[in-house]
Coordinates of all heavy atoms in Angstrom, one line a residue:
Q190 N 23.1 8.9 25.6 CA 23.6 9.8 26.9 C 25.1 9.9 26.8 O 25.6 11.1 27.1 CB 23.2 9.0 28.2 CG 21.7 8.8 28.4 CD 20.9 10.1 28.1 OE1 21.2 11.1 28.7 NE2 19.9 9.9 27.2
Y191 N 25.9 8.9 26.4 CA 27.3 9.0 26.3 C 27.6 10.0 25.2 O 28.5 10.8 25.5 CB 27.9 7.6 25.9 CG 29.4 7.5 25.7 CD1 30.3 7.9 26.8 CD2 29.9 7.3 24.5 CE1 31.6 7.9 26.5 CE2 31.2 7.3 24.2 CZ 32.1 7.6 25.3 OH 33.5 7.6 25.0
V192 N 27.1 9.9 24.0 CA 27.4 10.8 23.0 C 27.0 12.2 23.3 O 27.7 13.3 23.1 CB 26.8 10.4 21.7 CG1 27.1 11.4 20.5 CG2 27.4 9.0 21.3
D193 N 26.0 12.4 24.0 CA 25.6 13.7 24.5 C 26.5 14.4 25.5 O 26.8 15.5 25.3 CB 24.2 13.5 25.2 CG 23.5 14.9 25.8 OD1 23.3 15.8 24.8 OD2 23.5 15.3 26.9
I194 N 27.1 13.6 26.3 CA 28.2 14.1 27.1 C 29.4 14.4 26.4 O 30.1 15.6 26.5 CB 28.6 13.0 28.2 CG1 27.5 12.8 29.2 CG2 29.9 13.4 28.9 CD1 27.6 11.7 30.2
L195 N 29.8 13.6 25.4 CA 31.0 13.9 24.5 C 30.8 15.1 23.6 O 31.5 16.0 23.4 CB 31.2 12.7 23.5 CG 31.8 11.5 24.2 CD1 32.0 10.5 23.2 CD2 33.1 11.8 24.9
A196 N 29.4 15.3 23.1 CA 29.1 16.4 22.2 C 29.2 17.8 22.9 O 29.6 18.7 22.4 CB 27.8 16.1 21.7
K197 N 29.0 17.8 24.2 CA 28.9 19.1 25.1 C 30.2 19.2 25.5 O 30.5 20.5 26.0 CB 27.9 18.9 26.1 CG 26.4 18.9 25.8 CD 25.4 18.7 26.8 CE 24.0 18.7 26.3 NZ 23.1 18.3 27.5
S198 N 31.1 18.3 25.5 CA 32.5 18.6 26.0 C 33.5 18.6 24.9 O 34.8 18.9 25.3 CB 32.8 17.5 27.0 OG 32.9 16.2 26.4
N199 N 33.2 18.6 23.7 CA 34.0 18.7 22.6 C 33.7 20.0 21.7 O 32.5 20.1 21.4 CB 34.0 17.5 21.7 CG 34.8 16.4 22.4 OD1 36.0 16.1 22.1 ND2 34.2 15.6 23.2
E200 N 34.6 20.7 21.1 CA 34.4 21.8 20.2 C 33.7 21.2 18.9 O 33.8 20.0 18.5 CB 35.7 22.4 19.8 CG 36.2 23.1 21.0 CD 37.5 23.9 20.6 OE1 37.9 23.8 19.5 OE2 37.9 24.7 21.4
P201 N 32.8 22.0 18.3 CA 32.5 23.4 18.6 C 31.4 23.2 19.7 O 30.6 22.3 19.7 CB 31.9 24.0 17.3 CG 31.4 22.9 16.6 CD 32.4 21.6 17.0
Y202 N 31.4 24.3 20.6 CA 30.4 24.5 21.6 C 29.3 25.4 21.2 O 29.4 26.3 20.4 CB 31.1 25.1 23.0 CG 32.3 24.3 23.4 CD1 33.6 24.8 23.3 CD2 32.1 23.1 23.9 CE1 34.6 24.3 23.7 CE2 33.3 22.3 24.2 CZ 34.6 22.8 24.2 OH 35.6 22.2 24.7
G203 N 28.1 25.0 21.6 CA 26.9 25.7 21.1 C 26.0 25.9 22.3 O 26.1 25.6 23.5
S204 N 25.0 26.6 22.0 CA 23.8 26.8 23.1 C 22.9 25.8 23.2 O 22.1 25.6 24.2 CB 22.9 28.1 22.7 OG 22.4 28.0 21.3
Q205 N 22.8 24.9 22.3 CA 21.9 23.7 22.3 C 22.5 22.4 21.5 O 23.1 22.7 20.4 CB 20.5 24.0 21.8 CG 19.5 22.9 21.9 CD 18.1 23.2 21.3 OE1 17.2 22.4 21.2 NE2 17.9 24.5 20.8
V206 N 22.4 21.2 22.0 CA 22.9 20.2 21.5 C 21.8 19.1 21.3 O 21.0 18.8 22.3 CB 24.2 19.5 22.1 CG1 24.6 18.2 21.4 CG2 25.3 20.5 22.1
I207 N 21.6 18.4 20.1 CA 20.6 17.3 20.1 C 21.4 16.2 19.5 O 22.1 16.3 18.6 CB 19.5 17.7 19.1 CG1 18.7 18.8 19.5 CG2 18.6 16.4 18.9 CD1 17.7 19.5 18.5
V208 N 21.2 15.0 20.1 CA 21.8 13.7 19.7 C 20.9 12.9 19.0 O 19.8 12.4 19.7 CB 22.7 13.1 20.9 CG1 23.1 11.8 20.4 CG2 23.7 13.9 21.5
S209 N 21.0 12.7 17.8 CA 20.0 12.0 17.1 C 20.5 10.7 16.5 O 21.5 10.6 15.8 CB 19.6 12.9 15.8 OG 18.6 12.2 14.9
P210 N 19.7 9.5 16.7 CA 19.9 8.2 16.1 C 19.9 8.3 14.6 O 19.2 9.1 14.0 CB 18.9 7.4 16.6 CG 18.4 8.1 17.8 CD 18.4 9.5 17.5
V211 N 20.7 7.4 14.0 CA 20.7 7.4 12.5 C 20.2 6.0 12.1 O 20.1 5.1 12.9 CB 22.1 7.6 11.9 CG1 22.6 8.9 12.4 CG2 23.1 6.5 12.4
P212 N 19.6 5.8 10.8 CA 19.2 4.5 10.4 C 20.3 3.5 10.3 O 21.4 3.8 10.0 CB 18.7 4.9 9.1 CG 19.2 6.0 8.6 CD 19.5 6.9 9.8
V213 N 19.8 2.2 10.6 CA 20.7 1.1 10.5 C 21.9 0.9 11.4 O 22.0 -0.1 12.1 CB 21.1 0.8 9.0 CG1 21.9 -0.5 8.9 CG2 20.1 0.8 8.0
Y214 N 22.7 2.0 11.3 CA 23.9 2.0 12.2 C 23.6 2.5 13.6 O 23.9 3.6 14.0 CB 25.1 2.8 11.6 CG 25.4 2.4 10.1 CD1 24.7 3.0 9.0 CD2 26.2 1.3 10.0 CE1 25.1 2.6 7.7 CE2 26.5 0.9 8.6 CZ 25.9 1.5 7.6 OH 26.3 1.1 6.2
F215 N 23.0 1.6 14.4 CA 22.5 2.0 15.7 C 23.5 2.5 16.8 O 23.2 3.2 17.6 CB 21.8 0.8 16.5 CG 22.6 -0.4 16.8 CD1 23.3 -0.3 17.9 CD2 22.9 -1.5 16.0 CE1 24.0 -1.4 18.3 CE2 23.6 -2.5 16.3 CZ 24.2 -2.5 17.7
W216 N 24.7 2.1 16.4 CA 25.8 2.6 17.3 C 26.3 4.0 16.9 O 27.2 4.6 17.7 CB 27.1 1.6 17.2 CG 27.6 1.5 15.8 CD1 28.6 2.1 15.3 CD2 27.1 0.5 14.9 NE1 28.8 1.7 14.0 CE2 27.9 0.7 13.7 CE3 26.1 -0.5 14.9 CZ2 27.7 0.0 12.7 CZ3 26.0 -1.3 13.8 CH2 26.7 -1.0 12.6
E217 N 25.8 4.5 15.9 CA 26.2 5.9 15.5 C 25.2 7.0 15.9 O 24.1 6.6 16.1 CB 26.5 6.0 14.0 CG 27.6 5.2 13.6 CD 28.0 5.3 12.0 OE1 27.4 6.2 11.4 OE2 28.9 4.6 11.6
R218 N 25.6 8.2 16.0 CA 24.7 9.3 16.3 C 25.0 10.5 15.4 O 26.2 10.8 15.1 CB 24.7 9.7 17.8 CG 24.1 8.6 18.7 CD 22.7 8.4 18.5 NE 22.1 7.4 19.5 CZ 22.2 6.2 19.4 NH1 22.6 5.5 18.2 NH2 21.5 5.3 20.3
E219 N 24.0 11.3 15.1 CA 24.3 12.6 14.4 C 24.2 13.8 15.7 O 23.2 13.6 16.5 CB 23.2 12.9 13.5 CG 23.4 14.4 12.8 CD 22.3 14.6 11.9 OE1 21.3 14.0 11.8 OE2 22.6 15.5 10.9
R220 N 25.2 14.6 15.7 CA 25.3 15.5 16.7 C 24.8 16.9 16.0 O 25.4 17.4 15.0 CB 26.7 15.6 17.2 CG 26.9 17.0 18.2 CD 28.2 17.2 18.7 NE 29.4 17.3 17.6 CZ 30.5 17.8 18.1 NH1 30.9 18.1 19.3 NH2 31.5 17.9 17.0
I221 N 23.7 17.5 16.6 CA 23.1 18.7 15.8 C 23.3 19.8 16.8 O 22.8 19.7 18.0 CB 21.7 18.4 15.5 CG1 21.5 17.2 14.7 CG2 21.0 19.7 14.9 CD1 20.0 16.8 14.5
I222 N 24.0 20.8 16.6 CA 24.4 21.9 17.4 C 23.9 23.3 16.9 O 24.1 23.6 15.8 CB 26.0 22.0 17.5 CG1 26.6 20.5 17.7 CG2 26.5 22.9 18.7 CD1 28.1 20.7 17.6
Q223 N 23.4 24.0 17.9 CA 23.1 25.4 17.5 C 24.1 26.2 18.0 O 24.3 26.3 19.2 CB 21.6 25.7 18.2 CG 21.2 27.2 17.8 CD 19.9 27.6 18.4 OE1 19.5 27.1 19.5 NE2 19.1 28.4 17.6
M224 N 24.7 27.0 17.2 CA 25.8 27.9 17.6 C 25.2 29.2 18.1 O 24.0 29.4 18.0 CB 26.7 28.3 16.4 CG 27.3 26.9 15.7 SD 28.1 25.9 16.7 CE 29.6 26.9 17.0
Y225 N 26.0 30.0 18.8 CA 25.6 31.2 19.6 C 25.0 32.2 18.6 O 24.2 33.1 19.2 CB 26.6 31.7 20.5 CG 26.9 30.7 21.7 CD1 28.0 29.8 21.6 CD2 26.0 30.6 22.7 CE1 28.3 29.0 22.6 CE2 26.4 29.8 23.8 CZ 27.4 28.9 23.7 OH 27.6 28.0 24.7
D226 N 25.3 32.1 17.3 CA 25.0 33.2 16.4 C 23.6 32.7 15.8 O 22.9 33.3 15.0 CB 25.9 33.5 15.3 CG 26.2 32.2 14.4 OD1 25.7 31.1 14.8 OD2 27.0 32.4 13.4
G227 N 23.1 31.6 16.2 CA 21.8 31.1 15.6 C 21.9 30.0 14.6 O 21.0 29.2 14.2
E228 N 23.2 29.7 14.1 CA 23.5 28.8 13.0 C 23.4 27.4 13.6 O 23.7 27.1 14.8 CB 24.7 29.0 12.3 CG 25.2 28.0 11.2 CD 26.6 28.2 10.8 OE1 27.3 28.8 11.5 OE2 26.9 27.6 9.7
W229 N 22.8 26.5 12.7 CA 22.7 25.1 13.1 C 23.7 24.4 12.3 O 23.8 24.5 11.0 CB 21.3 24.5 12.8 CG 20.3 24.9 13.9 CD1 19.6 25.9 13.8 CD2 20.2 24.2 15.2 NE1 18.7 25.9 15.0 CE2 19.1 24.9 15.8 CE3 20.6 23.0 15.8 CZ2 18.6 24.5 17.0 CZ3 20.1 22.7 17.0 CH2 19.1 23.4 17.6
I230 N 24.5 23.5 13.0 CA 25.5 22.6 12.2 C 25.3 21.2 12.7 O 24.8 21.0 13.8 CB 27.0 23.1 12.3 CG1 27.4 23.1 13.9 CG2 27.2 24.5 11.9 CD1 28.8 23.4 14.0
S231 N 25.8 20.3 12.0 CA 25.8 18.9 12.5 C 26.9 18.1 11.9 O 27.4 18.4 10.7 CB 24.4 18.2 12.1 OG 24.3 17.9 10.8
N232 N 27.3 17.1 12.7 CA 28.2 16.0 12.1 C 27.9 14.7 12.9 O 27.0 14.7 13.8 CB 29.7 16.5 12.5 CG 30.1 16.7 13.9 OD1 29.2 16.6 14.7 ND2 31.3 17.0 14.1
E233 N 28.6 13.7 12.5 CA 28.2 12.3 13.0 C 29.3 11.8 13.9 O 30.5 12.0 13.6 CB 27.9 11.4 11.8 CG 26.7 11.7 11.1 CD 26.3 10.6 10.3 OE1 27.0 9.5 10.1 OE2 25.1 10.7 9.5
W234 N 28.8 11.1 15.0 CA 29.7 10.3 15.8 C 29.6 8.8 15.4 O 28.7 8.3 15.3 CB 29.2 10.4 17.3 CG 30.1 9.7 18.2 CD1 31.5 10.1 18.7 CD2 29.8 8.4 19.0 NE1 32.0 9.4 19.6 CE2 31.0 8.2 19.7 CE3 28.9 7.6 18.8 CZ2 31.1 7.1 20.5 CZ3 29.0 6.5 19.8 CH2 30.1 6.3 20.5
N235 N 30.7 8.3 14.8 CA 30.8 6.9 14.2 C 31.0 5.8 15.2 O 31.2 4.6 14.7 CB 31.8 6.9 13.1 CG 33.4 7.1 13.6 OD1 33.5 7.1 14.9 ND2 34.2 7.4 12.7
G236 N 31.0 6.1 16.4 CA 31.2 5.0 17.4 C 32.5 5.1 18.2 O 32.8 4.5 19.1
A237 N 33.3 6.1 17.6 CA 34.7 6.4 18.3 C 35.0 7.8 18.1 O 35.4 8.3 19.1 CB 35.8 5.4 17.4
D238 N 34.8 8.5 17.1 CA 35.1 9.9 16.9 C 34.1 10.6 16.2 O 33.2 10.1 15.4 CB 36.5 10.1 16.1 CG 37.6 9.3 16.8 OD1 38.0 9.8 17.8 OD2 38.1 8.3 16.3
F239 N 34.2 12.0 16.3 CA 33.2 12.9 15.5 C 33.8 13.1 14.1 O 35.0 13.4 14.0 CB 32.9 14.1 16.2 CG 32.2 14.0 17.5 CD1 32.6 14.2 18.8 CD2 30.7 14.0 17.3 CE1 31.9 14.2 19.8 CE2 29.9 13.8 18.3 CZ 30.5 14.0 19.6
D240 N 32.9 13.0 13.1 CA 33.3 13.5 11.7 C 33.2 15.0 11.8 O 32.1 15.5 11.9 CB 32.4 12.7 10.7 CG 32.6 13.2 9.4 OD1 33.5 14.0 9.1 OD2 31.8 12.9 8.5
Y241 N 34.3 15.6 11.4 CA 34.2 17.1 11.3 C 33.7 17.8 10.0 O 34.1 18.9 9.9 CB 35.5 17.6 11.9 CG 35.5 17.6 13.5 CD1 36.1 16.3 14.0 CD2 35.0 18.5 14.3 CE1 36.1 16.2 15.4 CE2 34.9 18.3 15.6 CZ 35.6 17.1 16.3 OH 35.6 17.0 17.6
G242 N 33.1 17.0 9.3 CA 32.4 17.7 8.2 C 31.1 18.1 8.5 O 30.1 17.2 8.5
F243 N 30.8 19.3 8.7 CA 29.6 19.8 9.1 C 28.6 20.0 8.0 O 28.8 20.6 7.0 CB 29.8 21.2 9.9 CG 30.6 21.0 11.1 CD1 31.9 21.4 11.1 CD2 30.1 20.4 12.3 CE1 32.6 21.2 12.4 CE2 30.7 20.2 13.5 CZ 32.0 20.7 13.5
K244 N 27.4 19.4 8.2 CA 26.3 19.3 7.2 C 25.8 20.6 7.0 O 25.6 21.3 5.8 CB 25.3 18.3 7.5 CG 24.3 18.0 6.5 CD 23.2 17.3 7.1 CE 23.5 15.8 7.6 NZ 22.5 15.1 8.0
H245 N 25.1 21.3 8.0 CA 24.3 22.5 7.8 C 25.1 23.7 7.5 O 24.5 24.6 6.9 CB 23.5 22.8 9.1 CG 22.7 21.7 9.5 ND1 21.7 21.1 8.6 CD2 22.6 20.9 10.6 CE1 21.2 20.1 9.3 NE2 21.6 20.0 10.5
S246 N 26.5 23.6 7.6 CA 27.2 24.8 7.2 C 27.4 25.0 5.6 O 27.8 25.8 5.1 CB 28.6 24.7 7.8 OG 29.4 23.5 7.4
Q247 N 27.0 23.8 5.0 CA 26.9 23.8 3.6 C 25.9 24.7 2.9 O 26.0 25.1 1.8 CB 26.9 22.4 3.0 CG 28.0 21.5 3.4 CD 27.7 20.0 3.1 OE1 26.8 19.7 2.5 NE2 28.6 19.2 3.5
A248 N 24.9 25.0 3.8 CA 23.8 25.8 3.3 C 24.1 27.2 3.9 O 24.6 27.5 4.9 CB 22.4 25.3 3.9
V249 N 23.5 28.2 3.1 CA 23.5 29.7 3.4 C 22.4 29.8 4.4 O 21.3 29.8 4.0 CB 23.5 30.6 2.2 CG1 23.4 32.0 2.7 CG2 24.6 30.3 1.2
Q250 N 22.7 30.0 5.6 CA 21.7 30.2 6.7 C 21.4 31.7 6.9 O 22.2 32.5 6.8 CB 22.1 29.6 8.0 CG 22.0 28.1 7.8 CD 22.3 27.2 9.2 OE1 21.5 27.8 10.1 NE2 23.0 26.2 9.1
C251 N 20.1 32.1 7.2 CA 19.6 33.4 7.4 C 19.1 33.6 8.8 O 18.8 32.6 9.5 CB 18.5 33.7 6.5 SG 18.7 33.1 4.7
V252 N 19.0 34.8 9.1 CA 18.5 35.3 10.3 C 17.0 34.9 10.3 O 16.3 35.2 9.4 CB 18.7 36.7 10.6 CG1 18.0 37.2 11.9 CG2 20.1 37.1 10.6
I253 N 16.6 34.2 11.4 CA 15.1 33.8 11.5 C 14.4 35.2 11.4 O 14.6 36.1 12.3 CB 14.8 32.9 12.6 CG1 15.4 31.7 12.5 CG2 13.2 32.9 12.7 CD1 15.1 30.7 13.5
P254 N 13.3 35.2 10.6 CA 12.6 36.7 10.4 C 11.8 37.1 11.6 O 11.4 36.1 12.4 CB 11.8 36.5 9.1 CG 11.6 35.0 9.0 CD 12.9 34.4 9.5
D255 N 11.5 38.2 11.6 CA 10.7 38.7 12.7 C 9.2 38.2 12.5 O 8.4 38.6 11.5 CB 10.6 40.3 12.7 CG 9.6 40.8 13.7 OD1 9.0 40.1 14.6 OD2 9.3 42.1 13.7
L256 N 8.8 37.3 13.4 CA 7.6 36.5 13.1 C 6.4 37.3 13.6 O 5.3 36.8 13.4 CB 7.7 35.1 13.9 CG 8.7 34.2 13.5 CD1 8.9 33.0 14.3 CD2 8.6 33.9 11.9
S257 N 6.6 38.5 14.0 CA 5.4 39.3 14.3 C 5.0 40.1 13.1 O 3.9 40.8 13.1 CB 5.7 40.5 15.3 OG 6.9 41.3 15.0
D258 N 5.7 40.0 12.1 CA 5.4 40.6 10.6 C 4.0 40.2 10.2 O 3.9 38.9 10.2 CB 6.4 40.4 9.8 CG 6.3 41.1 8.4 OD1 5.2 41.3 8.1 OD2 7.3 41.5 7.9
D259 N 3.1 41.0 9.9 CA 1.8 40.6 9.5 C 1.9 39.7 8.3 O 0.9 38.7 8.1 CB 0.9 41.8 9.2 CG 0.5 42.6 10.3 OD1 0.5 42.0 11.5 OD2 0.2 43.7 10.3
R260 N 2.8 39.8 7.3 CA 2.9 38.9 6.2 C 3.1 37.4 6.7 O 2.8 36.5 5.9 CB 4.1 39.3 5.4 CG 4.1 40.7 4.8 CD 5.4 41.1 4.0 NE 6.5 41.1 5.1 CZ 7.8 41.1 4.6 NH1 8.0 41.1 3.5 NH2 8.7 41.0 5.5
L261 N 3.7 37.2 7.8 CA 4.0 35.9 8.3 C 3.0 35.1 9.2 O 3.1 34.0 9.7 CB 5.3 35.8 9.0 CG 6.5 36.4 8.3 CD1 7.7 36.5 9.1 CD2 6.6 35.8 7.0
L262 N 1.8 35.9 9.4 CA 0.8 35.3 10.3 C -0.1 34.2 9.5 O -0.9 34.8 8.7 CB -0.2 36.4 10.9 CG 0.7 37.3 11.8 CD1 -0.2 38.4 12.2 CD2 1.4 36.7 13.0
N263 N 0.2 33.0 9.5 CA -0.7 32.0 8.8 C -0.5 30.7 9.7 O 0.4 30.5 10.4 CB -0.3 31.8 7.5 CG 1.2 31.4 7.3 OD1 1.4 30.2 7.6 ND2 2.0 32.2 6.8
S264 N -1.5 29.9 9.5 CA -1.6 28.6 10.1 C -0.4 27.6 9.8 O 0.0 26.8 10.7 CB -3.0 27.9 9.9 OG -3.1 27.6 8.5
Q265 N 0.0 27.7 8.5 CA 1.2 26.9 8.2 C 2.4 27.2 9.0 O 3.1 26.3 9.6 CB 1.5 27.1 6.7 CG 0.4 26.8 5.8 CD 0.2 25.4 5.5 OE1 1.2 24.5 5.6 NE2 -1.0 24.9 5.4
L266 N 2.8 28.5 9.2 CA 3.9 28.8 9.9 C 3.7 28.6 11.4 O 4.6 28.0 12.1 CB 4.1 30.3 9.7 CG 5.3 30.8 10.4 CD1 6.7 30.2 10.1 CD2 5.5 32.3 10.2
D267 N 2.5 28.8 12.0 CA 2.2 28.3 13.4 C 2.4 27.1 13.7 O 3.1 26.7 14.7 CB 0.8 28.8 13.7 CG 0.7 30.4 13.8 OD1 1.6 31.1 13.9 OD2 -0.5 30.9 13.8
A268 N 1.8 26.2 12.8 CA 2.0 24.7 12.9 C 3.5 24.3 13.0 O 3.9 23.5 13.7 CB 1.2 24.0 11.9

Side-chain angles (χ1 to χ4, degrees):
Q190 301 311 306
Y191 175 67
V192 177
D193 183 65
I194 293 171
L195 289 180
K197 292 174 179 176
S198 59
N199 282 269
E200 294 183 350
Y202 304 112
S204 60
Q205 183 182 171
V206 176
I207 299 171
V208 176
S209 176
V211 300
V213 183
Y214 303 100
F215 67 85
W216 57 90
E217 296 186 2
R218 293 293 184 273
E219 181 181 16
R220 174 177 63 162
I221 305 170
I222 311 166
Q223 184 178 32
M224 306 305 291
Y225 290 101
D226 63 356
E228 180 186 16
W229 284 92
I230 62 176
S231 74
N232 61 358
E233 291 193 2
W234 185 76
N235 61 15
D238 300 295
F239 286 108
D240 172 10
Y241 283 92
F243 292 105
K244 184 191 301 182
H245 303 302
S246 61
Q247 298 170 4
V249 177
Q250 295 189 36
C251 315
V252 175
I253 292 182
D255 179 7
L256 300 176
S257 65
D258 190 324
D259 290 342
R260 295 174 301 167
L261 304 180
L262 298 179
N263 64 72
S264 59
Q265 298 285 327
L266 181 58
D267 288 344

